[in-house]
Amino acid sequence: MEWRALPVGLRQAVEERIGSAVLRADGTVGGFSAGFAGILRTARGSVFVKATSEAVNSHGRALYRQEWRACRQLGQPDSVDIGFEWAFDWRDWTVLAFRAVDAGICSPAWPAGQLKTVLHHLHTHRVPAPPGLPPLDTYFGEAFAAWSALAADPGFDTWPLDEEGNPLLPPREWADLAERARSALAGSDLLHADLRADNILWTGGAPILIDWAYACRGSAVFDPLYLLLEVACNRGDPPEDALRGVLERYDCHPDDATALLAVFGGWFTWMSRMPPPPGLPTLRVFQRDMADAALSWFRHRLSGGGVAIRGRGPDLPGGSAADDRTAPHTARTADTPTEQSNTEGRT
């Protein structure tokens, strides 16, 4: 959506908040949400603005308001500087403004030097989460329940197979892995929880994380593991070398990382089977690709040895309440990190 396509009254309200008329609007494209996003150039300087409405993108507006709440938490002392400037509601529209940055998003191809820099940044900028942020399970509880939901769905018959065409794991063990990951990823660190190339600005120096709608608290290892799944999806091969470095730096058990891959595989599989949400025709394809990447990597680690999963070793729960679940509490067609994420690409 272009700046001029926004309602006149909304544009006037934005200019009043800036304190100057907009001389030029440099829009951005990409992401999974409809609305306006771009840098507004004025006599008083530049600011990145994004806006959407109930009519244009109802789930996107809910996400913007969620991000607004997160920005207030992240603006506290000793938290992170995300460049948040201001936000307001106008009729059924929500507008958020951030400091404009001279940068582009990271390359989806993830060249080695760029990936190494981003992973180093994540590790060296770990901070405790502000107390007002929710735990990871608030936003990803349905991800941990996805395999149980699929098991309860009589229309689901495409369980992951091994190279001989046999079930890779019994349904019960997928649920056990989800419970293992849920427990391992609890914590008090600040998480972005939606890291992809289009949510990271590349300045040539320190990367800048954007789109903090899913800011929460948990184990800091979640962010680099989630990011590495996108790397695997885009490159076509699992980045095992990068994963080993992450596991060492965060003192994460390899089986916990493998369990999280199983969770991602179930979660993206579940979402990919839903009808496409309005205005987002390619979303389900993206989710199917992410599911394939997660399950392929899981299969690779399972067959590579050293992963105590197949026999449900002593670290894994022998049984799980997850087997009693029938489905996640809501049909998540518009409130998942993947679906609601918005590419800012502040250039």
Side-chain angles (χ1 to χ4, degrees):
M1 177 178 288
E2 295 184 358
W3 167 249
R4 289 293 176 184
L6 299 179
V8 173
L10 176 59
R11 285 186 277 132
Q12 291 173 341
V14 170
E15 291 178 330
E16 289 174 3
R17 186 62 182 81
I18 295 173
S20 181
V22 173
L23 303 176
R24 193 178 85 219
D26 298 328
T28 61
V29 295
F32 292 116
S33 290
F36 170 78
I39 292 182
L40 302 181
R41 315 285 183 181
T42 77
R44 298 190 60 178
S46 300
V47 62
F48 176 86
V49 170
K50 59 183 183 179
T52 197
S53 71
E54 289 291 328
V56 172
N57 185 2
S58 60
H59 68 269
R61 190 193 183 205
L63 181 67
Y64 281 13
R65 293 185 62 80
Q66 181 173 297
E67 184 174 7
W68 187 356
R69 292 191 295 271
C71 287
R72 289 197 293 263
Q73 290 289 326
L74 296 174
Q76 297 177 5
D78 301 324
S79 188
V80 295
D81 178 14
I82 61 172
F84 178 64
E85 298 285 349
W86 44 263
F88 67 82
D89 286 329
W90 182 86
R91 297 183 182 176
D92 72 332
W93 289 79
T94 294
V95 182
L96 283 76
F98 297 84
R99 183 170 58 246
V101 178
D102 184 17
I105 62 171
C106 283
S107 168
W110 284 110
Q114 197 172 82
L115 178 61
K116 181 178 180 180
T117 299
V118 171
L119 291 176
H120 176 76
H121 175 86
L122 292 176
H123 183 250
T124 57
H125 288 76
R126 293 173 60 178
V127 296
L133 291 181
L136 177 69
D137 197 52
T138 299
Y139 296 140
F140 284 83
E142 292 170 353
F144 297 123
W147 282 116
S148 294
L150 291 169
D153 182 354
F156 180 71
D157 60 359
T158 53
W159 289 92
L161 304 177
D162 61 20
E163 294 180 355
E164 298 177 356
N166 300 313
L168 193 60
L169 292 175
R172 172 83 174 224
E173 293 196 22
W174 291 106
D176 286 345
L177 288 170
E179 289 307 306
R180 174 180 183 134
R182 186 199 300 268
S183 176
L185 292 166
S188 59
D189 294 309
L190 172 63
L191 302 182
H192 179 283
D194 192 20
L195 281 186
R196 307 186 309 268
D198 57 5
N199 280 342
I200 306 173
L201 297 183
W202 182 250
T203 65
I208 300 173
L209 311 187
I210 59 175
D211 281 0
W212 284 84
Y214 289 92
C216 59
R217 52 186 166 87
S219 170
V221 75
F222 178 86
D223 277 344
L225 292 180
Y226 189 66
L227 178 63
L228 287 180
L229 175 58
E230 187 205 36
V231 176
C233 184
N234 291 348
R235 287 184 176 177
D237 294 307
E240 279 289 334
D241 288 345
L243 176 62
R244 281 191 290 272
V246 166
L247 298 181
E248 180 179 349
R249 286 190 292 272
Y250 291 85
D251 193 25
C252 175
H253 195 288
D255 288 0
D256 292 339
T258 306
L260 183 58
L261 287 174
V263 169
F264 287 148
W267 183 42
F268 282 109
T269 296
W270 174 50
M271 291 189 293
S272 71
R273 299 174 71 246
M274 297 178 183
L280 302 175
T282 64
L283 178 58
R284 301 307 181 207
V285 175
F286 165 78
Q287 291 166 343
R288 180 70 260 169
D289 289 345
M290 289 287 276
D292 289 346
L295 293 173
S296 175
W297 197 356
F298 176 83
R299 189 179 292 106
H300 169 81
R301 291 185 60 76
L302 199 63
S303 64
V307 182
I309 288 175
R310 188 173 291 279
R312 272 194 314 211
D315 290 342
L316 288 168
S320 170
D323 292 290
D324 297 327
R325 300 178 192 156
T326 57
H329 296 299
T330 59
R332 185 170 278 201
T333 60
D335 61 349
T336 67
T338 298
E339 291 170 349
Q340 287 192 333
S341 300
N342 299 280
T343 304
E344 293 191 12
R346 301 171 210 166
T347 55

